[in-house]
Amino acid sequence: MAAHAESFRRSVNLRVRHRAAAWAFLALFALSQALLWYACYGNGAKTLIGDEQGYQNTALAILAGGPWMPSSIWPPLQPLLLAALYALFGPHAWVAQIAQSLLLIGCAALMRGLWRDLGGSVAAANWGAALFLLSPQIAGFAFWLWPEIPHLFLLLAALRLLAAARRSPARGWIAAAAAGACVGLALLAKSLLAAFWPAFLLIFVRRTRPRLAWRNALGFVLALGVVTAPALLHGWRSYGTPMIADSSIYNLWVGLTDRARSDYVADMGGVELPAFLASGATPQERNAVYLRKVKDYVAEHGVVTVALAQIERQYFRLFSAKTLLVSQLPGPACAGHLSVYHSPPWLTRVLALLNDASHALILIGAAIGLACWRRKFHMLHLVVALLLGYQLALFGLIHVKARFLLPMLPFLCALCGEVLARVLAPRRDDGALALSMPRLGLGMLLAALLLLLAFAGPALDGLCTG
């Protein structure tokens, strides 16, 4: 009887703690959202910049009867999504911001489930989702018109559906087809997965019931093809090749010729674009011209010199604590601040401080979590590891901005969540991490490297000192 009473008391206390934690999270989330909304509109609406304005203009042109896919550089999903929202609720940026805020919450829910699929603990999945939603640099993406949030939602949805298809191969063809559709839509949002998507087929590799695996893989490919077919047909008719959008050679050239370790510092992306578009009448002609420029550049400087220069620069840009949020806040242009937010000084300082603190916490926790991870490795782990490795390799070459880290952040947040769950609320059955001294030492070394990449770039470049 006493043991039963003690168990009941612990159960009640656990429910009380969970409820208090949930209310605390909701309060912090509401506060962080209020700060971001006030920063965006409190002293006048934030100015649209770069591709944001392009997506907005294309969406409005579509509403006015213009072509649905007018560019060979930018994929069509984001302006189509904006046009659909504007058609329903009016052409106001806040309509898209509310929709993307809901997708942001959906991303957190998907990442929580995906982390459980990968063998992470419930507590870690909760911590990771909380970190994801409370980080101002991540939540800020919902307020901007880039396709990052829709793309991330589709990517995480595809991974969850692939995990479901692998768990139940006999009935997995529906999940496999839905995953293929999500990957197809993700390709229509951003070109990131253009060279990677065949690797998703690894999830269907099985020693048992191979016929079902082939059927599910075929469903994945067919659904992906159906979703992307209109864009591919448009590319064939317009340019003689089945394509959605192709800026790879252009981004490779700009990536090789970038000089600063922070984005928006002497940034050549927008400056070089008119010359690229004028270099040929078709995407093939433009790519041929710029591929020759890339080859000449590498031949002139040498492969080793170019590779070392990329390593010394690209990952500072990718992991920079001067995230897209900070870049848009008021600040000196010499340090890469665009000052398109009109936030008061106190709010600028608060957001910058929260940005730096959350960025550092996520990187430190992710480094330790990765070094100490010890769950059994299976096919879903392989696909996720290949996806992260693919992005790291790709961003070693092409033009990099800090916003390109977003597809990796759910996994970094979840790894950090494992560490927080283990330290703050340890459980006897929590075996996701092995906190041995060698592993902790390796994690601390990796954390130091990531913090160096995050914060040392401006000092190494000597920004605003001349």
Coordinates of all heavy atoms in Angstrom, one line a residue, residues 251-336:
N251 N 25.8 30.6 -58.3 CA 26.1 30.6 -56.9 C 27.5 30.0 -56.6 O 28.1 30.4 -55.7 CB 25.0 29.7 -56.1 CG 23.8 30.5 -55.8 OD1 23.8 31.7 -55.4 ND2 22.6 29.9 -56.1
L252 N 27.9 29.1 -57.5 CA 29.3 28.6 -57.4 C 30.3 29.7 -57.6 O 31.3 29.9 -56.9 CB 29.5 27.4 -58.3 CG 30.9 26.8 -58.4 CD1 31.4 26.3 -57.0 CD2 31.0 25.7 -59.4
W253 N 30.0 30.5 -58.7 CA 31.0 31.6 -59.0 C 31.0 32.6 -57.9 O 32.1 33.1 -57.5 CB 30.5 32.2 -60.3 CG 31.2 33.5 -60.6 CD1 30.7 34.8 -60.6 CD2 32.6 33.7 -60.9 NE1 31.6 35.7 -60.8 CE2 32.8 35.1 -61.1 CE3 33.7 32.8 -61.1 CZ2 34.1 35.6 -61.4 CZ3 34.9 33.3 -61.5 CH2 35.1 34.7 -61.6
V254 N 29.8 33.0 -57.4 CA 29.8 34.0 -56.3 C 30.4 33.4 -55.0 O 31.1 34.1 -54.3 CB 28.3 34.5 -56.0 CG1 28.3 35.4 -54.9 CG2 27.7 35.1 -57.3
G255 N 30.2 32.1 -54.8 CA 30.8 31.5 -53.6 C 32.3 31.5 -53.7 O 33.0 31.7 -52.7
L256 N 32.9 31.3 -54.9 CA 34.3 31.4 -55.0 C 34.9 32.8 -54.9 O 36.1 32.9 -54.5 CB 34.7 30.8 -56.4 CG 34.5 29.3 -56.6 CD1 34.8 28.9 -58.0 CD2 35.3 28.5 -55.6
T257 N 34.1 33.8 -55.2 CA 34.6 35.1 -55.2 C 34.2 36.0 -54.0 O 34.6 37.1 -53.9 CB 34.2 35.9 -56.5 OG1 32.8 35.8 -56.7 CG2 34.8 35.2 -57.8
D258 N 33.4 35.4 -53.1 CA 33.1 36.0 -51.8 C 34.4 36.2 -51.1 O 35.4 35.4 -51.2 CB 32.2 35.2 -51.0 CG 30.7 35.4 -51.3 OD1 30.4 36.5 -51.8 OD2 29.9 34.5 -51.2
R259 N 34.5 37.3 -50.3 CA 35.7 37.6 -49.5 C 35.5 37.6 -48.0 O 36.4 37.3 -47.3 CB 36.4 38.9 -50.0 CG 36.9 38.7 -51.4 CD 38.1 37.8 -51.4 NE 38.6 37.5 -52.8 CZ 38.3 36.4 -53.5 NH1 37.5 35.5 -52.9 NH2 38.8 36.2 -54.7
A260 N 34.4 38.1 -47.6 CA 34.1 38.3 -46.2 C 33.6 37.0 -45.5 O 33.1 36.1 -46.1 CB 33.1 39.4 -45.9
R261 N 33.9 36.9 -44.2 CA 33.4 35.8 -43.4 C 32.0 36.0 -42.8 O 31.5 35.2 -42.1 CB 34.4 35.5 -42.3 CG 35.7 35.0 -42.7 CD 36.7 34.7 -41.5 NE 37.9 34.1 -41.9 CZ 39.0 34.8 -42.3 NH1 39.0 36.1 -42.2 NH2 40.1 34.2 -42.6
S262 N 31.4 37.2 -43.2 CA 30.0 37.5 -42.8 C 29.3 37.8 -44.1 O 29.8 38.5 -45.0 CB 30.0 38.6 -41.8 OG 30.7 38.4 -40.6
D263 N 28.0 37.4 -44.1 CA 27.2 37.8 -45.3 C 26.8 39.3 -45.2 O 26.8 39.9 -44.1 CB 26.0 36.9 -45.5 CG 25.1 36.8 -44.3 OD1 25.3 37.6 -43.3 OD2 24.2 35.9 -44.2
Y264 N 26.4 39.8 -46.3 CA 26.0 41.2 -46.5 C 27.2 42.2 -46.3 O 26.9 43.3 -46.0 CB 24.8 41.5 -45.6 CG 23.6 40.7 -45.9 CD1 23.1 39.7 -45.1 CD2 22.9 40.9 -47.1 CE1 22.0 39.0 -45.4 CE2 21.8 40.1 -47.4 CZ 21.3 39.2 -46.6 OH 20.3 38.4 -46.9
V265 N 28.4 41.7 -46.3 CA 29.6 42.5 -46.3 C 30.2 42.4 -47.6 O 30.7 41.4 -48.0 CB 30.6 42.1 -45.2 CG1 31.8 42.9 -45.2 CG2 29.9 42.1 -43.8
A266 N 30.2 43.5 -48.4 CA 30.7 43.5 -49.7 C 30.1 42.4 -50.5 O 30.8 41.7 -51.3 CB 32.2 43.5 -49.8
D267 N 28.8 42.2 -50.3 CA 28.1 41.0 -50.9 C 28.0 41.2 -52.4 O 27.5 42.2 -52.9 CB 26.8 40.8 -50.3 CG 26.2 39.5 -50.5 OD1 26.0 39.1 -51.6 OD2 26.0 38.8 -49.5
M268 N 28.4 40.2 -53.1 CA 28.4 40.2 -54.6 C 27.2 39.5 -55.2 O 27.1 39.6 -56.5 CB 29.7 39.6 -55.2 CG 31.0 40.4 -54.8 SD 31.0 42.1 -55.3 CE 31.0 41.9 -57.1
G269 N 26.4 38.9 -54.4 CA 25.3 38.2 -55.0 C 24.4 39.0 -55.9 O 24.2 38.7 -57.0
G270 N 23.8 40.1 -55.3 CA 22.9 40.9 -56.0 C 23.6 41.7 -57.1 O 23.1 42.0 -58.2
V271 N 24.9 42.1 -56.8 CA 25.7 42.9 -57.8 C 26.0 42.1 -59.0 O 25.9 42.6 -60.2 CB 27.0 43.4 -57.1 CG1 27.8 44.1 -58.1 CG2 26.7 44.3 -55.9
E272 N 26.3 40.8 -58.9 CA 26.7 40.0 -60.0 C 25.5 39.5 -60.8 O 25.7 39.1 -62.0 CB 27.5 38.8 -59.5 CG 28.1 37.9 -60.6 CD 29.3 38.6 -61.3 OE1 29.9 39.5 -60.8 OE2 29.5 38.2 -62.5
L273 N 24.3 39.4 -60.2 CA 23.2 38.8 -60.9 C 22.8 39.5 -62.2 O 22.6 38.7 -63.2 CB 22.0 38.9 -60.0 CG 20.7 38.2 -60.5 CD1 21.0 36.7 -60.8 CD2 19.6 38.3 -59.5
P274 N 22.8 40.8 -62.4 CA 22.5 41.4 -63.7 C 23.5 40.9 -64.8 O 23.1 40.6 -65.9 CB 22.5 42.9 -63.5 CG 22.2 43.0 -62.0 CD 22.9 41.9 -61.4
A275 N 24.7 40.9 -64.4 CA 25.7 40.4 -65.4 C 25.5 39.0 -65.8 O 25.7 38.6 -67.0 CB 27.1 40.6 -64.9
F276 N 25.1 38.1 -64.8 CA 24.9 36.7 -65.1 C 23.7 36.6 -66.1 O 23.7 35.9 -67.1 CB 24.6 36.0 -63.8 CG 24.1 34.6 -64.0 CD1 25.0 33.6 -64.4 CD2 22.8 34.2 -63.8 CE1 24.6 32.3 -64.6 CE2 22.4 32.9 -64.0 CZ 23.3 31.9 -64.4
L277 N 22.6 37.3 -65.8 CA 21.4 37.2 -66.6 C 21.7 37.8 -68.0 O 21.0 37.3 -69.0 CB 20.3 38.0 -66.0 CG 19.7 37.4 -64.6 CD1 18.7 38.3 -64.0 CD2 19.2 36.0 -64.8
A278 N 22.6 38.7 -68.1 CA 22.9 39.3 -69.5 C 23.9 38.5 -70.2 O 24.2 38.8 -71.4 CB 23.4 40.7 -69.3
S279 N 24.5 37.4 -69.6 CA 25.6 36.7 -70.3 C 25.1 35.7 -71.3 O 25.9 35.1 -72.0 CB 26.4 36.0 -69.2 OG 25.6 35.0 -68.5
G280 N 23.8 35.4 -71.4 CA 23.2 34.5 -72.3 C 21.7 34.6 -72.4 O 21.1 35.1 -71.5
A281 N 21.2 34.0 -73.5 CA 19.7 34.1 -73.7 C 19.0 33.0 -73.0 O 17.8 33.1 -72.7 CB 19.4 34.1 -75.2
T282 N 19.7 31.9 -72.7 CA 19.0 30.8 -72.0 C 19.9 30.4 -70.8 O 21.0 30.7 -70.7 CB 19.0 29.6 -73.0 OG1 20.3 29.1 -73.3 CG2 18.3 29.9 -74.3
P283 N 19.3 29.6 -69.9 CA 20.0 29.1 -68.8 C 21.3 28.3 -69.2 O 22.3 28.4 -68.5 CB 19.0 28.2 -68.0 CG 17.7 28.7 -68.4 CD 17.8 29.2 -69.8
Q284 N 21.2 27.5 -70.2 CA 22.3 26.7 -70.7 C 23.5 27.7 -71.1 O 24.6 27.4 -70.8 CB 21.9 25.8 -71.8 CG 20.9 24.8 -71.5 CD 19.5 25.2 -71.8 OE1 19.1 26.4 -71.5 NE2 18.7 24.3 -72.4
E285 N 23.1 28.7 -71.8 CA 24.2 29.6 -72.3 C 24.8 30.4 -71.1 O 26.0 30.5 -71.0 CB 23.6 30.7 -73.3 CG 23.2 30.1 -74.6 CD 22.5 31.1 -75.5 OE1 22.5 32.3 -75.1 OE2 22.1 30.7 -76.6
R286 N 24.0 30.8 -70.2 CA 24.5 31.5 -69.0 C 25.4 30.6 -68.2 O 26.5 31.0 -67.7 CB 23.4 32.1 -68.2 CG 22.6 33.2 -68.9 CD 21.7 33.9 -67.9 NE 20.5 33.1 -67.6 CZ 19.3 33.2 -68.2 NH1 19.2 33.9 -69.2 NH2 18.3 32.4 -67.8
N287 N 24.9 29.4 -68.0 CA 25.7 28.4 -67.2 C 27.1 28.1 -67.9 O 28.1 28.0 -67.2 CB 25.0 27.1 -67.0 CG 23.9 27.3 -65.9 OD1 23.9 28.2 -65.1 ND2 22.9 26.4 -65.9
A288 N 27.1 28.0 -69.2 CA 28.3 27.7 -69.9 C 29.3 28.9 -69.7 O 30.5 28.6 -69.5 CB 28.0 27.5 -71.4
V289 N 28.8 30.1 -69.8 CA 29.7 31.2 -69.7 C 30.3 31.3 -68.3 O 31.5 31.4 -68.1 CB 28.9 32.6 -69.9 CG1 29.8 33.8 -69.5 CG2 28.5 32.7 -71.4
Y290 N 29.5 31.0 -67.2 CA 30.0 31.1 -65.9 C 30.8 29.9 -65.4 O 31.6 30.0 -64.6 CB 28.8 31.5 -64.9 CG 28.7 33.0 -64.8 CD1 28.1 33.7 -65.8 CD2 29.1 33.6 -63.7 CE1 28.0 35.1 -65.8 CE2 29.0 35.0 -63.6 CZ 28.4 35.7 -64.6 OH 28.3 37.1 -64.5
L291 N 30.5 28.8 -66.0 CA 31.3 27.6 -65.8 C 32.7 27.8 -66.3 O 33.7 27.4 -65.6 CB 30.7 26.3 -66.4 CG 31.4 25.0 -66.1 CD1 31.5 24.7 -64.6 CD2 30.7 23.9 -66.8
R292 N 32.8 28.4 -67.4 CA 34.2 28.8 -68.0 C 34.9 29.7 -67.0 O 36.1 29.6 -66.8 CB 34.0 29.4 -69.4 CG 35.3 29.9 -70.0 CD 36.5 28.9 -69.9 NE 36.1 27.6 -70.5 CZ 36.9 26.6 -70.4 NH1 38.0 26.6 -69.7 NH2 36.5 25.4 -71.0
K293 N 34.1 30.7 -66.5 CA 34.8 31.6 -65.5 C 35.2 30.9 -64.3 O 36.3 31.2 -63.7 CB 33.8 32.7 -65.1 CG 33.4 33.7 -66.3 CD 32.4 34.7 -65.8 CE 33.1 35.7 -64.9 NZ 32.2 36.9 -64.6
V294 N 34.5 29.9 -63.8 CA 34.9 29.1 -62.6 C 36.1 28.4 -62.9 O 37.1 28.3 -62.1 CB 33.7 28.2 -62.2 CG1 34.2 27.1 -61.2 CG2 32.5 29.0 -61.6
K295 N 36.2 27.7 -64.1 CA 37.3 26.9 -64.4 C 38.6 27.8 -64.6 O 39.7 27.4 -64.1 CB 37.1 26.1 -65.7 CG 36.0 25.0 -65.6 CD 35.8 24.3 -66.9 CE 34.8 23.2 -66.8 NZ 34.5 22.5 -68.1
D296 N 38.4 28.9 -65.2 CA 39.5 29.8 -65.4 C 40.0 30.3 -64.0 O 41.2 30.5 -63.8 CB 39.1 31.0 -66.2 CG 38.9 30.6 -67.7 OD1 39.4 29.5 -68.1 OD2 38.3 31.4 -68.4
Y297 N 39.1 30.6 -63.1 CA 39.5 31.1 -61.8 C 40.3 30.0 -61.0 O 41.3 30.3 -60.4 CB 38.2 31.5 -61.0 CG 38.4 32.0 -59.6 CD1 38.6 33.4 -59.4 CD2 38.5 31.2 -58.5 CE1 38.9 33.9 -58.1 CE2 38.7 31.6 -57.2 CZ 38.9 33.0 -57.0 OH 39.1 33.5 -55.8
V298 N 39.8 28.8 -61.1 CA 40.5 27.7 -60.4 C 41.8 27.4 -61.0 O 42.8 27.2 -60.3 CB 39.6 26.4 -60.4 CG1 40.4 25.2 -59.8 CG2 38.3 26.6 -59.6
A299 N 41.9 27.5 -62.3 CA 43.2 27.3 -63.0 C 44.2 28.4 -62.6 O 45.4 28.1 -62.5 CB 43.0 27.2 -64.5
E300 N 43.7 29.6 -62.5 CA 44.6 30.7 -62.2 C 45.1 30.7 -60.8 O 46.3 30.9 -60.5 CB 43.8 32.1 -62.4 CG 44.7 33.3 -62.1 CD 43.9 34.6 -62.2 OE1 42.7 34.5 -62.7 OE2 44.4 35.6 -61.8
H301 N 44.3 30.3 -59.8 CA 44.7 30.3 -58.4 C 45.1 29.0 -57.9 O 45.8 29.0 -56.8 CB 43.5 30.8 -57.6 CG 43.1 32.2 -57.8 ND1 42.3 32.6 -58.8 CD2 43.5 33.4 -57.2 CE1 42.1 33.9 -58.8 NE2 42.8 34.4 -57.8
G302 N 44.8 27.9 -58.5 CA 45.2 26.6 -58.1 C 44.1 25.9 -57.2 O 43.5 26.6 -56.4
V303 N 43.9 24.6 -57.4 CA 42.9 23.9 -56.6 C 43.1 24.0 -55.1 O 42.1 24.3 -54.4 CB 42.8 22.5 -57.1 CG1 41.8 21.7 -56.2 CG2 42.4 22.4 -58.6
V304 N 44.3 23.8 -54.7 CA 44.6 23.8 -53.2 C 44.3 25.2 -52.6 O 43.7 25.3 -51.6 CB 46.0 23.3 -53.0 CG1 46.4 23.5 -51.5 CG2 46.3 21.9 -53.5
T305 N 44.8 26.2 -53.3 CA 44.6 27.6 -52.8 C 43.1 27.9 -52.7 O 42.7 28.5 -51.7 CB 45.3 28.6 -53.7 OG1 46.7 28.3 -53.7 CG2 45.1 30.0 -53.2
V306 N 42.4 27.5 -53.7 CA 40.9 27.8 -53.7 C 40.2 27.0 -52.6 O 39.4 27.6 -51.9 CB 40.3 27.5 -55.1 CG1 38.8 27.5 -55.1 CG2 40.8 28.4 -56.2
A307 N 40.6 25.8 -52.5 CA 40.0 24.9 -51.4 C 40.2 25.5 -50.0 O 39.3 25.5 -49.2 CB 40.5 23.5 -51.6
L308 N 41.5 25.9 -49.8 CA 41.8 26.4 -48.5 C 41.0 27.7 -48.2 O 40.6 28.0 -47.1 CB 43.3 26.6 -48.4 CG 44.2 25.3 -48.3 CD1 45.6 25.7 -48.3 CD2 43.8 24.6 -47.0
A309 N 40.9 28.5 -49.2 CA 40.2 29.8 -49.1 C 38.7 29.6 -48.8 O 38.1 30.3 -47.9 CB 40.3 30.6 -50.4
Q310 N 38.2 28.5 -49.4 CA 36.8 28.2 -49.1 C 36.6 27.7 -47.7 O 35.7 28.2 -47.0 CB 36.3 27.1 -50.1 CG 36.2 27.5 -51.6 CD 35.3 28.7 -51.8 OE1 35.7 29.8 -51.9 NE2 34.0 28.4 -51.8
I311 N 37.5 26.9 -47.2 CA 37.4 26.3 -45.9 C 37.5 27.5 -44.9 O 36.9 27.5 -43.8 CB 38.4 25.2 -45.7 CG1 38.1 24.0 -46.5 CG2 38.5 24.9 -44.2 CD1 39.2 23.0 -46.5
E312 N 38.4 28.4 -45.2 CA 38.7 29.5 -44.2 C 37.5 30.5 -44.2 O 37.5 31.4 -43.3 CB 40.0 30.2 -44.6 CG 41.2 29.4 -44.5 CD 42.5 30.1 -45.0 OE1 42.3 31.2 -45.6 OE2 43.6 29.6 -44.9
R313 N 36.6 30.4 -45.1 CA 35.6 31.5 -45.2 C 34.1 30.9 -45.1 O 33.3 31.5 -44.3 CB 35.7 32.2 -46.5 CG 34.7 33.3 -46.7 CD 34.8 34.0 -48.1 NE 34.6 33.1 -49.2 CZ 35.5 32.6 -50.0 NH1 36.8 33.0 -49.8 NH2 35.2 31.8 -51.0
Q314 N 33.8 29.8 -45.8 CA 32.5 29.4 -46.0 C 31.7 29.1 -44.7 O 30.6 29.4 -44.5 CB 32.4 28.3 -46.9 CG 32.9 28.6 -48.3 CD 31.9 29.5 -49.1 OE1 32.1 30.8 -49.0 NE2 31.0 29.0 -49.8
Y315 N 32.4 28.3 -43.8 CA 31.7 27.9 -42.6 C 31.6 28.9 -41.5 O 30.8 28.8 -40.6 CB 32.4 26.6 -42.1 CG 32.4 25.5 -43.1 CD1 33.5 25.1 -43.8 CD2 31.2 24.9 -43.4 CE1 33.4 24.1 -44.8 CE2 31.1 23.9 -44.4 CZ 32.2 23.6 -45.1 OH 32.1 22.6 -46.1
F316 N 32.4 30.0 -41.6 CA 32.2 31.2 -40.8 C 30.9 31.8 -41.2 O 30.1 32.2 -40.3 CB 33.3 32.2 -40.9 CG 34.6 31.9 -40.2 CD1 35.6 31.2 -40.8 CD2 34.7 32.2 -38.8 CE1 36.8 30.9 -40.1 CE2 35.9 31.9 -38.1 CZ 36.9 31.2 -38.8
R317 N 30.6 31.9 -42.5 CA 29.4 32.5 -43.0 C 28.2 31.6 -42.6 O 27.1 32.1 -42.2 CB 29.5 32.6 -44.5 CG 30.5 33.6 -45.0 CD 30.7 33.6 -46.5 NE 29.5 34.1 -47.2 CZ 29.4 35.3 -47.6 NH1 30.3 36.2 -47.4 NH2 28.3 35.7 -48.2
L318 N 28.3 30.3 -42.7 CA 27.2 29.4 -42.5 C 26.8 29.4 -41.0 O 25.6 29.5 -40.7 CB 27.6 28.0 -42.9 CG 26.5 26.9 -42.7 CD1 25.3 27.2 -43.6 CD2 27.0 25.5 -43.1
F319 N 27.8 29.3 -40.1 CA 27.5 29.2 -38.6 C 27.5 30.5 -37.9 O 27.4 30.6 -36.7 CB 28.5 28.2 -38.0 CG 28.3 26.8 -38.3 CD1 29.1 26.2 -39.3 CD2 27.3 26.0 -37.8 CE1 28.9 24.9 -39.7 CE2 27.1 24.7 -38.1 CZ 27.9 24.1 -39.1
S320 N 27.6 31.6 -38.7 CA 27.7 32.9 -38.1 C 26.6 33.3 -37.1 O 25.4 33.0 -37.4 CB 27.8 34.0 -39.1 OG 27.8 35.3 -38.6
A321 N 26.9 33.9 -36.0 CA 25.9 34.3 -35.0 C 25.3 35.6 -35.5 O 24.2 36.0 -35.0 CB 26.6 34.6 -33.6
K322 N 25.8 36.2 -36.6 CA 25.1 37.3 -37.2 C 24.2 36.7 -38.2 O 24.4 36.7 -39.4 CB 26.1 38.3 -37.9 CG 25.5 39.6 -38.4 CD 26.5 40.4 -39.2 CE 26.8 39.9 -40.5 NZ 25.6 40.0 -41.4
T323 N 23.1 36.2 -37.6 CA 22.1 35.5 -38.4 C 21.3 36.5 -39.3 O 21.5 37.7 -39.2 CB 21.1 34.8 -37.4 OG1 20.4 35.8 -36.6 CG2 21.9 33.9 -36.5
L324 N 20.4 36.0 -40.0 CA 19.5 36.9 -40.9 C 18.8 37.9 -40.1 O 18.5 39.0 -40.5 CB 18.6 36.0 -41.7 CG 17.8 36.8 -42.8 CD1 18.6 37.7 -43.7 CD2 16.9 35.8 -43.6
L325 N 18.3 37.5 -38.9 CA 17.7 38.4 -38.0 C 18.6 39.6 -37.6 O 18.2 40.8 -37.8 CB 17.2 37.7 -36.7 CG 16.6 38.6 -35.6 CD1 15.3 39.3 -36.1 CD2 16.3 37.9 -34.3
V326 N 19.8 39.3 -37.1 CA 20.7 40.3 -36.7 C 21.1 41.2 -37.9 O 21.3 42.4 -37.8 CB 21.9 39.7 -36.0 CG1 23.0 40.8 -35.7 CG2 21.5 39.0 -34.8
S327 N 21.3 40.6 -39.1 CA 21.7 41.3 -40.3 C 20.7 42.3 -40.6 O 21.0 43.4 -41.2 CB 21.9 40.3 -41.4 OG 23.0 39.5 -41.2
Q328 N 19.4 42.1 -40.3 CA 18.4 43.0 -40.7 C 18.1 44.1 -39.7 O 17.4 45.1 -39.9 CB 17.1 42.3 -41.0 CG 17.2 41.4 -42.2 CD 15.9 40.7 -42.6 OE1 15.0 41.2 -43.3 NE2 15.7 39.5 -42.0
L329 N 18.6 43.9 -38.4 CA 18.4 44.9 -37.4 C 19.3 46.1 -37.6 O 20.3 46.1 -38.4 CB 18.8 44.2 -36.0 CG 17.8 43.2 -35.5 CD1 18.4 42.5 -34.3 CD2 16.4 43.7 -35.3
P330 N 18.9 47.2 -37.0 CA 19.7 48.4 -37.1 C 21.2 48.2 -36.7 O 21.4 47.5 -35.6 CB 19.0 49.5 -36.2 CG 17.6 49.0 -36.2 CD 17.7 47.5 -36.2
G331 N 22.1 48.7 -37.4 CA 23.5 48.5 -37.1 C 24.4 49.1 -38.2 O 23.9 49.5 -39.2
P332 N 25.7 49.0 -38.0 CA 26.6 49.6 -39.0 C 26.7 48.8 -40.2 O 26.8 47.5 -40.2 CB 28.0 49.6 -38.2 CG 27.9 48.5 -37.2 CD 26.4 48.5 -36.8
A333 N 26.6 49.4 -41.4 CA 26.6 48.7 -42.7 C 28.0 48.0 -42.9 O 28.0 47.0 -43.5 CB 26.4 49.7 -43.8
C334 N 29.0 48.6 -42.3 CA 30.4 48.0 -42.5 C 30.4 46.6 -41.8 O 31.3 45.8 -42.2 CB 31.5 48.9 -41.9 SG 31.3 49.3 -40.2
A335 N 29.5 46.3 -40.9 CA 29.5 45.0 -40.3 C 28.4 44.1 -40.9 O 28.1 43.0 -40.3 CB 29.3 45.1 -38.8
G336 N 27.8 44.5 -42.0 CA 26.8 43.7 -42.6 C 25.4 43.9 -42.1 O 24.6 43.0 -42.3

